[in-house]
Amino acid sequence: MKKLPILLSLLCLVNTVYAAPQAIPHEFHGKWVQAGASCDEYENGETVRWWDIDGDKIAQYRFGCHLDKVVFVKPRQFRAKWRCDETDDDGETQKSTPTETFTLSRDGKRLTAFKQNYRFCGKHESKDVFVCRGDKINIAVSSYGNGKDYRYTAWTKSRAQPDLFLKNGTADIDGIGACLHTVYTFTRPNGWQYEVREGGCTAYDNVKGVVTVKRNDKLVSERLCQ
């Protein structure tokens, strides 16, 4: 009888090991084209047979899915339930909730999903446009893709495991003359707003920029960037 609790404990441990985070594994992220299309056609906008996979969503021409629930994650394989929207030729949107398995080839250059085969066309290019370093917390604003998709990462120990990650930021120019600078704004539900203001003329000496956090337009915190 003692073996049964041990067996149950082992099963729980296995489930814990394979319990997946609510995000698409990084090895699946990138730009993909369906068989019959080329990477050049994708980059030039000459084909609609492509996928962009990043974070918790997949995007395709007239078709996109957001991650709903992870079923399992294994080496080179990922199964999840999705919430998908597809727009037809008449502009009507059809919703679906499929459960699908994504499988990578051994070299990571081929992807099979939704009964189609795709070829890898590269990772999403990104670069830091502003980094705010503090005593305990570091914050980076990065641009992705065409340089108009801004993201916010805050971390205490490792950027690979950020404490906060935000997407869909906006960039605006503020100030005049020598005080001209860029302001990046990120919002979250429930009234949270994160503003990263770089350079310019501030009320502080010897600072690189300022990060302010507000909720419902009330100041929560202000961090100076060294």
Side-chain angles (χ1 to χ4, degrees), residues 11-92:
L11 288 173
C12 290
L13 178 60
V14 170
N15 288 334
T16 300
V17 171
Y18 284 104
Q22 294 300 311
I24 303 172
H26 286 286
E27 58 265 34
F28 293 86
H29 291 191
K31 300 172 286 187
W32 304 82
V33 294
Q34 188 178 326
S38 71
C39 293
D40 287 339
E41 288 175 320
Y42 167 86
E43 295 294 345
N44 296 329
E46 299 170 356
T47 179
V48 297
R49 302 166 63 146
W50 53 265
W51 270 6
D52 276 341
I53 301 179
D54 189 19
D56 62 351
K57 64 183 179 181
I58 58 178
Q60 191 184 46
Y61 177 72
R62 291 187 177 180
F63 178 76
C65 299
H66 278 80
L67 186 64
D68 185 48
K69 180 181 179 181
V70 173
V71 178
F72 67 73
V73 176
K74 296 180 180 179
R76 297 189 300 277
Q77 199 169 64
F78 169 67
R79 184 170 178 82
K81 182 178 179 181
W82 306 88
R83 290 177 287 106
C84 301
D85 293 335
E86 184 172 6
T87 305
D88 60 23
D89 292 337
D90 296 325
E92 298 293 330

Side-chain angles (χ1 to χ4, degrees), residues 7 14 69 125 220:
L7 180 59
V14 170
K69 180 181 179 181
E125 296 180 2
V220 175

Side-chain angles (χ1 to χ4, degrees), residues 2-224:
K2 292 183 178 179
K3 291 184 178 181
L4 182 59
I6 295 175
L7 180 59
L8 291 175
S9 298
L10 289 174
L11 288 173
C12 290
L13 178 60
V14 170
N15 288 334
T16 300
V17 171
Y18 284 104
Q22 294 300 311
I24 303 172
H26 286 286
E27 58 265 34
F28 293 86
H29 291 191
K31 300 172 286 187
W32 304 82
V33 294
Q34 188 178 326
S38 71
C39 293
D40 287 339
E41 288 175 320
Y42 167 86
E43 295 294 345
N44 296 329
E46 299 170 356
T47 179
V48 297
R49 302 166 63 146
W50 53 265
W51 270 6
D52 276 341
I53 301 179
D54 189 19
D56 62 351
K57 64 183 179 181
I58 58 178
Q60 191 184 46
Y61 177 72
R62 291 187 177 180
F63 178 76
C65 299
H66 278 80
L67 186 64
D68 185 48
K69 180 181 179 181
V70 173
V71 178
F72 67 73
V73 176
K74 296 180 180 179
R76 297 189 300 277
Q77 199 169 64
F78 169 67
R79 184 170 178 82
K81 182 178 179 181
W82 306 88
R83 290 177 287 106
C84 301
D85 293 335
E86 184 172 6
T87 305
D88 60 23
D89 292 337
D90 296 325
E92 298 293 330
T93 300
Q94 299 178 356
K95 298 182 180 295
S96 59
T97 55
T99 299
E100 182 61 27
T101 300
F102 287 56
T103 303
L104 282 175
S105 60
R106 287 187 176 273
D107 62 3
K109 302 299 182 182
R110 295 289 188 274
L111 173 66
T112 302
F114 293 104
K115 300 180 181 180
Q116 298 289 345
N117 295 316
Y118 292 83
R119 183 173 69 236
F120 182 66
C121 285
K123 291 291 186 181
H124 296 282
E125 296 180 2
S126 66
K127 64 177 181 179
D128 291 341
V129 294
F130 182 77
V131 177
C132 175
R133 301 193 181 279
D135 295 335
K136 296 181 179 180
I137 299 177
N138 297 317
I139 297 168
V141 176
S142 306
S143 66
Y144 282 68
N146 59 7
K148 296 182 180 180
D149 180 9
Y150 295 99
R151 305 188 182 183
Y152 176 107
T153 307
W155 71 100
T156 52
K157 295 182 180 179
S158 170
R159 196 190 296 199
Q161 297 178 330
D163 299 288
L164 180 62
F165 179 70
L166 303 174
K167 299 190 293 184
N168 302 320
T170 61
D172 297 290
I173 303 299
D174 196 8
I176 58 174
C179 296
L180 203 66
H181 61 282
T182 304
V183 180
Y184 305 95
T185 304
F186 301 83
T187 59
R188 294 176 64 190
N190 302 324
W192 286 96
Q193 183 184 77
Y194 299 75
E195 182 183 273
V196 181
R197 186 176 294 270
E198 63 176 24
C201 301
T202 69
Y204 309 96
D205 295 328
N206 302 318
V207 299
K208 184 180 178 181
V210 181
V211 177
T212 57
V213 180
K214 296 180 181 179
R215 188 176 189 186
N216 297 325
D217 294 325
K218 293 183 178 180
L219 183 65
V220 175
S221 67
E222 185 175 77
R223 185 176 302 278
L224 303 182

